[in-house]
Amino acid sequence: MTIEIKTRVREEFVDITGDVQRLARAAGVEKGLALVYSPHTTAGITINESFDPDVQRDMIAHLNKMVPPGSSVHHAEGNSDAHIKTSLVGSSCTVPIIGGGLALGRWQGIYFCEFDGPRSRQVLVHIV
Ligand code: ZN
């Protein structure tokens, strides 16, 4: 199953929790796993707080301090910071399914992490 995403700015965390939850419930699996995967080299997946959007803003700000845009040394495309940030957050997450739905913590959300937008993106979701 695929979630289509259009990002609007260069760096953005998109909350995809509701989409993944719908796919998990529609799969009719009582107890299993949801694999959420980004098939991109400049966009990743992470789980973090979904209550206060300032957490995502701070995560992007801190990633930019760690790996500033324009920090490519060799890569001619000039977007090495986006590649490095993608490796830092990772390309996937796996969430347990219990009782037919995602067993996320109360404050947790699943985020698609854009680091080189705006672009059209895809997230693959496999329920097992
Ligand atoms: Zn590149």
Side-chain angles (χ1 to χ4, degrees), residues 1-5 14-26 102 110 125 127:
M1 294 167 283
T2 304
I3 300 169
E4 303 285 343
I5 296 171
V14 180
D15 189 340
I16 57 171
T17 312
D19 297 300
V20 179
Q21 184 72 269
R22 272 187 290 281
L23 292 171
R25 292 199 186 284
L102 300 176
I110 305 169
V125 179
I127 310 295

Side-chain angles (χ1 to χ4, degrees), residues 41-42 75 77-80 83 116 119:
T41 61
T42 56
H75 184 41
E77 195 184 16
N79 63 348
S80 285
H83 293 293
D116 198 20
R119 295 187 193 220

Side-chain angles (χ1 to χ4, degrees), residues 45-63:
I45 300 286
T46 196
I47 295 175
N48 215 296
E49 177 170 326
S50 61
F51 181 72
D52 181 1
D54 281 342
V55 172
Q56 293 108 58
R57 293 176 62 209
D58 277 350
M59 288 177 75
I60 290 170
H62 195 76
L63 284 165

Side-chain angles (χ1 to χ4, degrees), residues 10-11 40-45 62-75 77-91 113-116:
R10 183 164 195 267
E11 287 147 356
H40 304 287
T41 61
T42 56
I45 300 286
H62 195 76
L63 284 165
N64 277 327
K65 275 190 195 167
M66 292 166 61
V67 192
S71 58
S72 292
V73 176
H74 301 291
H75 184 41
E77 195 184 16
N79 63 348
S80 285
D81 66 300
H83 293 293
I84 294 164
K85 289 164 189 162
T86 299
S87 282
L88 288 173
V89 301
S91 292
C113 308
E114 175 65 82
F115 295 118
D116 198 20

